[in-house]
Amino acid sequence: MDKDFSVINFINIKKSGKNHSREEIECFISGVCNGSIKDYQISAWLMAAYIKDLSLDETTWLTMAIANSGDVLDLSHIEGPVIDKHSTGGVGDKTTLIALPMLAACGVKVIKMSGGGLGITGGTSDKLASIPGFNLSLSSEELVSMVNKVGIGIAGLNKNIAPADKILYAIRDTTGTVDSLPLITASILGKKIATGAKHIVIDVKCGSGAFMKDMESAKKLAAMLKKVGGKCGVTVLPIITDMNQILGESAGNALEIVEAIVSLTDIKKSRLMDLSIMLAANSLYLLKLTESVEEGARLVEEKLKNGEVLEKAKRWLCAQGAPEHLFEKPYNYLENSTHLECVKYNGPDVWVSELPAESIGEAVLGLGGGRKHKDDVIDYSVGIRSFIEVGTKVTNGMVIFQIHSKNKDDADRVKNILLKNVKFASHETVQMPVLLDDVLFSA
Ligand code: URA
């Protein structure tokens, strides 16, 4: 660290609302990583940055300093167009498991390092870890070789990638400084840039089950990700999607793997499928492989129908260690919960008007299917299947949820949460479209 750098000055600069230089931000991140700046000083700066905000330049420098705080992956050995896909975090979001094989079937290489879920939002690496034998501990070389071989490679984030983000995030999580747009932007893009990404499609979730609760903040985050990405030399395509209800019918790790497998095997129109197609189609367009998003969507649908997407999915999962016959009999391989409870609706005919993603996320967390703290151990078998969406007509005696839990007490507790939070109307209701906005050209 520069001997003239003073962390107290650094904090005071932000406290008084002034801007930092690039060198100051680099010195700060280097002090964060080598331990010379203490946690209480980091917290003080994070709160000052949270309240006084960071400029676009400061956010860009912070992003690059986080990216360069550890190893930076070299993807130059991957042949062909490469994309990374990221989600800002939702409930029941298994689009990665569907969109990646779609892209691979269209000749795109997809490489991804994925962190585990925290709080109510699930993480792709946790879902994949529920498959027996699935290997997420690939070295950088193994990951690149996997991508060259089968078109897709996913590994868990290792400790040498963007170590500054781990330290900053852990402190943000306990000091009320998570929901700052510049800090979120630097955290997401810093990790992505460290994993070598040059083109990233980012699903910015918006609604009760997401960080961004309303459209205004989701649009701001999307625009910032795109702008800061551009300044860092990375093309970012943000898409804003609905997270007021869970995506698909299940939330919980093994259940979501089953749902992804069923969606790829028995292709039907659904919000989950629509969003997966849109993510793949926008990626194709971003990489200039199609003239329009619509053309990309048509190509993806063709590859779904002719079985190429399913083939890619099977090859990828098997190459990373999944059992050979997982797709034929997923329940034989994935952990089943020890207790199963059906929740029925009793009453006159009604329509579902609210099915808050947040409550379902909290219910899954309460069953042991997520992490409240970083080191919590996840029970892959637990979760919730929902047989309703906003707009579904519900009649007397209809099963609306299935709770997969460890025991009856857990199931009863969760049943009460669900019944308290799902809302019905006596008239027909409509749901929001899954794709709320894409800001490809507008940001
Ligand atoms: N996801 C991240 O990686 N970082 C944040 O700060 C928020 C969401």
Side-chain angles (χ1 to χ4, degrees), residues 86 88 169 172 183-184 187-188 191 211:
H86 182 76
T88 57
Y169 195 91
R172 284 170 60 207
L183 296 179
I184 293 177
S187 165
I188 292 177
K191 287 192 287 271
F211 272 120

Side-chain angles (χ1 to χ4, degrees), residues 188-296:
I188 292 177
L189 290 182
K191 287 192 287 271
K192 288 284 149 194
I193 293 169
T195 55
K198 292 275 181 279
H199 294 91
I200 318 167
V201 58
I202 302 188
D203 183 355
V204 177
K205 301 284 187 197
C206 174
S208 77
F211 272 120
M212 301 296 126
K213 305 283 180 210
D214 56 67
M215 198 58 183
E216 195 190 336
S217 51
K219 276 191 172 178
K220 277 192 190 150
L221 177 61
M224 193 176 283
L225 286 164
K226 190 169 160 61
K227 279 198 191 121
V228 173
K231 280 173 152 287
C232 296
V234 175
T235 317
V236 175
L237 168 61
I239 297 174
I240 301 175
T241 69
D242 181 42
M243 194 27 76
N244 284 302
Q245 59 177 339
I246 64 164
L247 189 59
E249 62 163 48
S250 58
N253 295 289
L255 291 176
E256 291 189 49
I257 292 287
V258 173
E259 188 181 354
I261 289 176
V262 171
S263 305
L264 285 163
T265 317
D266 180 15
I267 301 155
K268 288 197 187 98
K269 188 163 168 53
S270 67
R271 284 164 73 83
L272 173 63
M273 215 18 133
D274 286 352
L275 178 54
S276 305
I277 293 172
M278 282 321 288
L279 288 166
N282 276 283
S283 303
L284 292 171
Y285 183 55
L286 179 70
L287 292 168
K288 300 192 169 57
L289 295 174
T290 56
E291 299 269 317
S292 65
V293 175
E294 292 71 29
E295 186 194 330

